[in-house]
Amino acid sequence: MKVTIKDVAREANVATSTVSRVLSDNPRISDETKKRVNEAIKKLNYKPNPIARSLAKNETRILGVVLPSDANDLLANPFFINAMKGMSMYAQSKNYYITYAFSKNEENEVENIKEMTSSNLVDGVILLRVRENDESVRYLKDKKFPFVVVGRPEYPNEVLWVDNNNFQAMYKVVNQLIKKGHRKIGFAGAMKNLNMSRDRFEGYKKALEMNNIEFDENLVVHKDEFKEYEGESACKDLLQNKDITAIVTIDDLLAFGVLKELRRQKIKNIAVVGFNNTQLAQHQKPPLASVDINADKLGYQATKLLIQTLEDNKESETTHYIVDTEFVERKSFISNK
Amino acid sequence: MKVTIKDVAREANVATSTVSRVLSDNPRISDETKKRVNEAIKKLNYKPNPIARSLAKNETRILGVVLPSDANDLLANPFFINAMKGMSMYAQSKNYYITYAFSKNEENEVENIKEMTSSNLVDGVILLRVRENDESVRYLKDKKFPFVVVGRPEYPNEVLWVDNNNFQAMYKVVNQLIKKGHRKIGFAGAMKNLNMSRDRFEGYKKALEMNNIEFDENLVVHKDEFKEYEGESACKDLLQNKDITAIVTIDDLLAFGVLKELRRQKIKNIAVVGFNNTQLAQHQKPPLASVDINADKLGYQATKLLIQTLEDNKESETTHYIVDTEFVERKSFISNK
DNA sequence: TTGTAGGCGTTATCAC
DNA sequence: GTGATAACGCCTACAA
């Protein structure tokens, strides 16, 4: 009942190898038989069995995605779901499948990766987050298993990765604030040890420098976590500077906290900017301007990079890809006139 | 380099078939050799190749999930991501993999399903939504391909499905409102043709009936879509009833609209209840009480049902499973004293 | 250009 | 109990 390559061969009066060659577009095959085979394929509605093919070719065209243990955070913002969509889109266009594994905790995460890489089921792995000194990355690198990460890893030249230009994104935001007349711009960060955090901070500093505004340490606060209460606290700290007119943050949650504190103090003339353009941003009072990191593109490009290296036997030249950010201007982005 | 069953056989001085038997816990095998084989497995760190196994057994242990074309809606509420988590959890516990396909539009959705079911790559399919007269369901049913749907389908006895008890959920909500002193309770629905909508409406009516409150058509509004503006409009309609003290809706978006309209009219003494407990519910003014449908459990149980029927050759008795809802009480759930 | 035959790593069906 | 051996469906030398 299941139609196999043999059935096609019989129907077209050729050998199975010939059918196989037609399937793989082998050049040395006569148009005549090619046509006959294709007709037989159509007539029998034959579809090659990917499992058998995988076994013979030792490749599955399946990609594995391991969701970090702290995926709960991801549930709150659209990053994950958008990245997933992007990944699926590219994978589908190239006839790849994607399988996901949710990890319960950090330990379990590495376990999942070990399982995936040693299972012979996936050709490559996509990681949606990098930690510093990331055990998953180290493991995959050591094992020389094909993988790509979203976010800049520690050895950017030895690992495939895709990321935003966080430096530039923040640079632009601050630059625009300055153009709008702001001079005293506060910075609220957290998780200082993440590359991402550092880059955004550097972008902030550079923008000031390029506009001949002196960097002022009092206008900078680094908190521990991306939480709303940290934002509130940061806001209080920054308000010590009486003449402050804007606060940039490196995460929407921090920005939410800032807005909350400003509301409580009934301060309305300070501009606030967030990062990640989470769903709640537009529902803040006032609606929060935020930098969209284009998660779908991150997922798309990550998958593209991985599949390309999987298919080119030669080591591809490009080891990374930068995805544009997009500044979403909303009410909180007021000017200082 | 890759260690196969042959290596293990050689190491343990047995035939490959013996190793295979140990692997599958075949009873007629001596403890002695079983031990020897297991040692060899451990020593060589052997893992069976799932692809080869799939080919031989004609089953892949991979489940396919097709995301409906209107998945954009899903991005807004946590349903999809939670369901996905639930699916993964159960699948992983049973050593199954899950692969996802995003559909661009409705047509593409059926295409994806055809592709999946004819590809020999997945053993079963999970659908996260049912339409009325659902083409995907019909196709799968006709083809006798194993599948499960989240939501009650048209032929509940011929299809595996998992759903909430929408009738009961709404019944309870209305019952509680009545206990809180409400008598004039408005109903704001939409998408009347969905089973889900009808069930919730029936629950509403039943609760009134059981409490000897006469059903009043003027207190009922059915709109077309689950949109905020529909909620606003419904609210205006319902406010024609001057003595109304509560409004139940069958979706958070409708409820958001109701709250918006109430705010505009500065009405504060009307209770409002939503459905789905979306992320924005808690951020409404006032925070919206809502019924949580436990999407993760829906996903978990759907997967469980599917895998169980996949493994029991006998047709399993149970064709469906009901997942509890959970009423999340918030400020909008005021009493009428 | 096409066919033959062996192999991919398992499982299943026979024998013994 | 255990061991050969033939599938599973496809690909790929090697021949012809």
Side-chain angles (χ1 to χ4, degrees):
Chain A
M1 38 163 283
K2 238 166 215 168
V3 33
T4 76
I5 201 170
K6 274 185 192 169
D7 302 319
V8 178
R10 195 178 312 123
E11 176 76 25
N13 239 301
V14 293
T16 60
S17 48
T18 304
V19 178
S20 179
R21 285 190 190 101
V22 173
L23 252 32
S24 59
D25 251 342
N26 191 310
R28 44 183 191 181
I29 195 137
S30 77
D31 287 354
E32 221 293 285
T33 50
K34 188 186 287 186
K35 199 179 134 205
R36 237 183 30 252
V37 169
N38 277 324
E39 276 166 3
I41 288 178
K42 195 159 281 174
K43 179 176 173 193
L44 301 180
N45 189 26
Y46 164 73
K47 308 246 197 247
N49 182 325
I51 296 293
R53 182 176 273 173
S54 293
L55 186 59
K57 297 184 63 165
N58 195 30
E59 63 165 47
T60 63
R61 291 184 97 80
I62 299 177
L63 268 25
V65 177
V66 175
L67 299 183
S69 48
D70 53 352
N72 283 323
D73 300 356
L74 297 180
L75 304 191
N77 78 35
F79 170 76
F80 168 67
I81 186 78
N82 280 321
M84 179 173 162
K85 212 170 158 184
M87 295 187 287
S88 283
M89 282 310 168
Y90 189 79
Q92 282 182 46
S93 77
K94 290 291 175 184
N95 276 100
Y96 272 74
Y97 287 87
I98 292 190
T99 179
Y100 296 82
F102 277 80
S103 306
K104 295 186 197 73
N105 49 52
E106 185 167 344
E107 195 179 328
N108 189 237
E109 182 182 328
V110 182
E111 242 170 62
N112 280 154
I113 289 184
K114 286 187 181 167
E115 219 256 29
M116 270 199 176
T117 54
S118 63
S119 76
N120 287 307
L121 188 65
V122 302
D123 289 345
V125 165
I126 301 174
L127 299 182
L128 288 182
R129 279 243 182 126
V130 226
R131 277 188 259 277
E132 55 173 346
N133 198 3
D134 193 305
E135 203 181 330
S136 304
V137 170
R138 192 170 346 116
Y139 179 85
L140 289 163
K141 206 156 76 78
D142 285 355
K143 210 175 168 184
K144 296 191 191 309
F145 196 91
F147 74 106
V148 61
V149 309
V150 174
R152 183 153 51 86
E154 289 176 85
Y155 306 96
N157 293 320
E158 304 167 37
V159 171
L160 291 183
W161 56 276
V162 166
D163 201 0
N164 301 115
N165 190 335
N166 286 301
F167 172 86
Q168 193 196 43
M170 183 59 96
Y171 175 88
K172 281 187 181 170
V173 164
V174 175
N175 216 34
Q176 284 194 56
L177 280 170
I178 294 171
K179 287 226 176 75
K180 283 217 167 198
H182 295 276
R183 298 273 131 185
K184 293 287 184 182
I185 302 169
F187 177 94
M191 303 273 247
K192 231 166 134 177
N193 50 351
L194 296 183
N195 282 333
M196 177 211 86
S197 300
R198 271 207 306 275
D199 291 348
R200 291 178 188 172
F201 183 46
E202 294 302 324
Y204 163 81
K205 287 199 290 189
K206 189 70 176 179
L208 296 181
E209 186 190 325
M210 297 302 284
N211 286 278
N212 295 313
I213 297 177
E214 202 177 347
F215 172 70
D216 178 356
E217 280 223 339
N218 296 318
L219 286 169
V220 174
V221 179
H222 291 292
K223 292 292 176 180
D224 293 332
E225 296 184 277
F226 296 136
K227 302 273 187 189
E228 196 171 305
Y229 66 83
E230 298 273 44
E232 293 175 56
S233 160
C235 187
K236 283 179 203 158
D237 296 349
L238 290 171
L239 288 176
Q240 302 295 318
N241 306 277
K242 296 303 175 194
D243 47 359
I244 193 171
T245 65
I247 297 177
V248 296
T249 70
I250 66 168
D251 189 276
D252 277 0
L253 282 174
L254 294 174
F256 295 167
V258 169
L259 287 177
K260 195 170 173 187
E261 181 62 26
L262 290 178
R263 278 199 305 274
R264 199 171 51 201
Q265 298 200 24
K266 304 209 192 304
I267 299 176
K268 301 202 165 177
N269 56 348
I270 290 186
V272 180
V273 178
F275 244 93
N276 293 350
N277 192 28
T278 55
Q279 225 208 324
L280 292 177
Q282 55 185 305
H283 294 95
Q284 299 299 303
K285 307 273 172 193
L288 176 67
S290 187
V291 175
D292 194 312
I293 59 173
N294 282 327
D296 55 337
K297 288 189 189 165
L298 286 171
Y300 187 92
Q301 295 296 342
T303 310
K304 186 170 177 183
L305 210 49
L306 180 58
I307 290 181
Q308 278 175 349
T309 39
L310 241 32
E311 308 214 316
D312 298 6
N313 298 0
K314 56 168 193 263
E315 292 291 308
S316 84
E317 302 291 301
T318 50
T319 73
H320 66 271
Y321 185 92
I322 300 298
V323 171
D324 281 343
T325 54
E326 207 171 308
F327 181 57
V328 180
E329 200 172 323
R330 295 203 187 91
K331 288 263 172 66
S332 76
F333 193 68
I334 54 180
S335 61
N336 180 42
K337 29 192 168 172
Chain B
M1 37 165 279
K2 238 165 213 167
V3 33
T4 76
I5 201 171
K6 276 185 189 167
D7 301 319
V8 177
R10 196 179 310 124
E11 177 75 25
N13 239 298
V14 293
T16 60
S17 44
T18 304
V19 178
S20 179
R21 285 191 190 99
V22 172
L23 252 33
S24 59
D25 252 340
N26 193 310
R28 42 181 191 185
I29 196 141
S30 77
D31 287 355
E32 221 289 288
T33 50
K34 188 187 287 185
K35 201 180 131 202
R36 241 189 21 258
V37 169
N38 277 324
E39 277 166 1
I41 288 177
K42 193 159 281 174
K43 182 177 171 193
L44 301 180
N45 189 27
Y46 164 73
K47 307 246 195 248
N49 182 325
I51 296 292
R53 182 176 272 175
S54 293
L55 185 59
K57 297 183 62 163
N58 195 30
E59 64 165 45
T60 62
R61 290 183 100 74
I62 299 178
L63 268 24
V65 177
V66 175
L67 299 183
S69 48
D70 53 354
N72 283 324
D73 300 355
L74 297 180
L75 304 191
N77 79 34
F79 169 76
F80 168 66
I81 187 79
N82 280 321
M84 179 172 161
K85 210 170 160 185
M87 294 188 286
S88 282
M89 282 310 167
Y90 188 78
Q92 282 181 46
S93 77
K94 290 292 176 183
N95 277 100
Y96 273 74
Y97 288 87
I98 292 189
T99 178
Y100 295 82
F102 277 81
S103 306
K104 294 187 199 70
N105 48 52
E106 185 166 344
E107 194 179 329
N108 189 237
E109 181 181 327
V110 182
E111 241 170 62
N112 281 153
I113 289 184
K114 287 187 180 169
E115 220 256 28
M116 271 199 175
T117 54
S118 63
S119 75
N120 287 307
L121 188 65
V122 302
D123 290 345
V125 164
I126 302 173
L127 299 181
L128 289 182
R129 280 244 180 123
V130 224
R131 276 188 260 278
E132 54 174 348
N133 197 4
D134 193 305
E135 203 182 332
S136 304
V137 169
R138 192 170 345 116
Y139 179 83
L140 290 162
K141 206 155 75 76
D142 284 355
K143 209 173 168 185
K144 295 191 192 310
F145 196 90
F147 74 106
V148 62
V149 309
V150 174
R152 183 154 52 85
E154 289 178 85
Y155 306 95
N157 292 320
E158 305 167 38
V159 171
L160 291 183
W161 56 277
V162 166
D163 202 359
N164 302 114
N165 190 333
N166 286 301
F167 172 86
Q168 194 196 43
M170 183 58 97
Y171 176 88
K172 281 187 179 170
V173 164
V174 176
N175 216 35
Q176 283 194 56
L177 280 170
I178 294 170
K179 287 226 175 75
K180 284 220 167 196
H182 295 277
R183 296 275 131 182
K184 294 286 184 181
I185 302 170
F187 176 94
M191 302 275 244
K192 231 165 135 177
N193 50 351
L194 296 183
N195 281 335
M196 178 210 86
S197 299
R198 272 206 305 276
D199 291 348
R200 291 178 187 171
F201 183 47
E202 294 302 324
Y204 163 80
K205 288 198 289 188
K206 188 70 176 180
L208 296 180
E209 184 190 327
M210 296 302 283
N211 286 278
N212 296 313
I213 297 177
E214 201 177 347
F215 172 71
D216 178 358
E217 280 221 340
N218 296 317
L219 286 170
V220 173
V221 179
H222 292 291
K223 293 292 176 180
D224 293 331
E225 296 185 275
F226 296 137
K227 302 274 188 190
E228 197 170 304
Y229 67 81
E230 298 273 44
E232 293 174 58
S233 158
C235 186
K236 282 179 202 157
D237 296 349
L238 290 171
L239 287 175
Q240 302 294 319
N241 305 277
K242 296 301 174 195
D243 47 0
I244 194 170
T245 65
I247 297 175
V248 296
T249 71
I250 66 168
D251 189 276
D252 277 359
L253 282 174
L254 294 174
F256 295 168
V258 169
L259 287 178
K260 195 169 172 187
E261 183 61 26
L262 290 177
R263 276 200 306 274
R264 199 172 52 200
Q265 300 202 23
K266 303 211 193 303
I267 300 176
K268 298 201 167 179
N269 56 348
I270 291 185
V272 179
V273 178
F275 244 92
N276 292 349
N277 192 27
T278 54
Q279 224 206 325
L280 293 177
Q282 56 185 305
H283 295 94
Q284 299 300 302
K285 305 275 171 194
L288 176 68
S290 187
V291 175
D292 194 318
I293 60 173
N294 282 328
D296 54 338
K297 288 188 189 167
L298 287 170
Y300 187 94
Q301 295 295 342
T303 311
K304 186 170 178 185
L305 210 50
L306 180 57
I307 290 180
Q308 278 175 349
T309 40
L310 242 30
E311 308 214 316
D312 297 4
N313 299 358
K314 58 170 195 262
E315 292 291 308
S316 86
E317 301 290 302
T318 50
T319 72
H320 67 271
Y321 185 92
I322 300 297
V323 171
D324 280 344
T325 54
E326 207 172 307
F327 181 56
V328 181
E329 201 173 323
R330 296 203 186 90
K331 288 262 172 67
S332 75
F333 193 68
I334 55 179
S335 60
N336 181 42
K337 25 192 171 172

